[in-house]
Amino acid sequence: MDQTQRRMLDQPLSIPTAQPKKKRTSVISFFSKVSWKLRLQKQEPLKNVFFNLAERVWDSSVKKRHMAMRSLGTMACETPDKVRKYKMIVLDLLVHGLYDPVSSEVIHESLKTLTIILGKIQGKGLGSFFIDITLRTRTLLDDENDSLRYLAFVLFGQLAAFAGRKWKRFFTRQVKQTQDSLLTHLQDRNPQVAKACKTTFRACSPYLRQRKDYSFQSEEDQRNPKLCRQLSHYHPELLQFFYANKIL
């Protein structure tokens, strides 16, 4: 995760998320239990903590699923080395959370924790989870929930940086299918989402196919010929828009 993405992730969206006092108390109580288990790792191996969380991730209660996802996020921040050790278990749980059928809160926590973990592991060792995460994240770029859109753009930008050779073809196809969303949300109603989209657009620009027959005429084009060549395949008339909005 680069510095821009880290600052974006740390900056909360200006969306009210008030929780009932009783709910907050329950969440704190649940976190306390998890923290207690982490402090007593000799008596209670960390792997068992993950298994306990896994039970809650699959629970029929939305409340329990949400708390489990938040706990995974807390663990990713406080014990990154331990989470890295059980990376595949954690990724499996988070991907499951991304596809939660009813709760946007569960999806939100899954997205947020994934951005943290991918930043810490630099996208290494994702395996086939890269496909699952990319496909789901792409569908969330147009979600009505501002928070989900914001985190989806941050995560999609990270995936662009971590695709590498193995997933380059696959991710290139995904970027091409996402072009309309990227353009639309450059002027998103939420300024922070628009900013995240702008950063992600830049990260995805190498995956836009180049046209060899394009020649550069303007001074602006010559300042960044590679990116302009990539964008020219998309919509040449948009170059002026990008420069006007300081995207290039």
Side-chain angles (χ1 to χ4, degrees):
M1 184 186 300
D2 60 29
Q3 293 182 354
T4 300
Q5 290 172 325
R6 188 176 296 107
R7 287 196 300 270
M8 286 165 30
L9 188 59
D10 291 337
Q11 185 178 9
L13 283 173
S14 54
I15 301 171
T17 56
Q19 293 180 328
K21 184 176 181 180
K22 184 177 181 181
K23 182 175 181 180
R24 293 199 301 269
T25 301
S26 299
V27 171
I28 293 173
S29 177
F30 184 75
F31 284 166
S32 297
K33 292 179 181 179
V34 173
S35 298
W36 176 78
K37 289 184 177 181
L38 289 174
R39 288 194 296 269
L40 299 177
Q41 289 179 30
K42 292 183 179 180
Q43 291 79 12
E44 182 75 11
L46 186 61
K47 191 172 184 179
N48 289 343
V49 176
F50 285 119
F51 287 155
N52 289 335
L53 288 174
E55 292 180 2
R56 290 171 173 79
V57 167
W58 289 88
D59 199 280
S60 59
S61 168
V62 172
K63 181 179 179 180
K64 289 184 179 180
R65 296 201 303 275
H66 182 218
M67 287 191 295
M69 288 300 165
R70 293 196 69 175
S71 296
L72 286 171
T74 300
M75 294 167 68
C77 292
E78 296 182 355
T79 58
D81 292 337
K82 300 297 183 181
V83 171
R84 191 179 291 111
K85 181 178 180 180
Y86 297 103
K87 176 179 61 181
M88 302 312 288
I89 296 177
V90 176
L91 288 174
D92 185 56
L93 297 179
L94 292 174
V95 169
H96 178 71
L98 282 182
Y99 288 87
D100 194 279
V102 297
S103 175
S104 61
E105 291 182 334
V106 173
I107 297 172
H108 178 275
E109 293 298 337
S110 301
L111 281 170
K112 186 173 182 179
T113 302
L114 278 168
T115 60
I116 295 171
I117 291 180
L118 262 63
K120 292 184 181 300
I121 67 175
Q122 292 297 296
K124 296 179 180 178
L126 289 177
S128 61
F129 285 124
F130 184 90
I131 294 177
D132 296 326
I133 295 172
T134 301
L135 291 174
R136 180 55 173 157
T137 302
R138 188 168 67 82
T139 67
L140 295 171
L141 296 177
D142 296 314
D143 197 273
E144 294 182 357
N145 185 301
D146 287 15
S147 295
L148 292 185
R149 288 200 313 282
Y150 173 78
L151 287 173
F153 274 111
V154 174
L155 184 55
F156 201 76
Q158 284 182 298
L159 293 168
F162 300 143
R165 291 185 178 181
K166 183 175 182 180
W167 303 112
K168 184 175 181 179
R169 284 189 180 182
F170 164 76
F171 198 76
T172 298
R173 291 195 298 270
Q174 299 307 306
V175 171
K176 291 176 181 177
Q177 294 177 45
T178 308
Q179 289 178 352
D180 288 342
S181 295
L182 290 171
L183 263 186
T184 299
H185 295 291
L186 284 172
Q187 299 185 37
D188 193 276
R189 63 175 181 266
N190 186 298
Q192 288 177 271
V193 176
K195 184 177 180 181
C197 178
K198 179 178 177 180
T199 300
T200 297
F201 199 106
R202 286 172 173 164
C204 291
S205 63
Y207 297 93
L208 298 173
R209 187 170 56 191
Q210 303 180 22
R211 267 189 11 186
K212 297 180 180 179
D213 59 343
Y214 184 77
S215 59
F216 303 103
Q217 302 295 332
S218 68
E219 293 181 2
E220 291 85 354
D221 291 344
Q222 294 178 14
R223 286 207 303 266
N224 199 338
K226 182 178 180 180
L227 181 55
C228 290
R229 187 162 57 247
Q230 293 161 349
L231 293 177
S232 69
H233 176 77
Y234 182 37
H235 279 305
E237 66 272 15
L238 290 173
L239 290 175
Q240 184 177 0
F241 170 82
F242 292 141
Y243 286 124
N245 287 273
K246 300 181 179 179
I247 296 176
L248 295 179

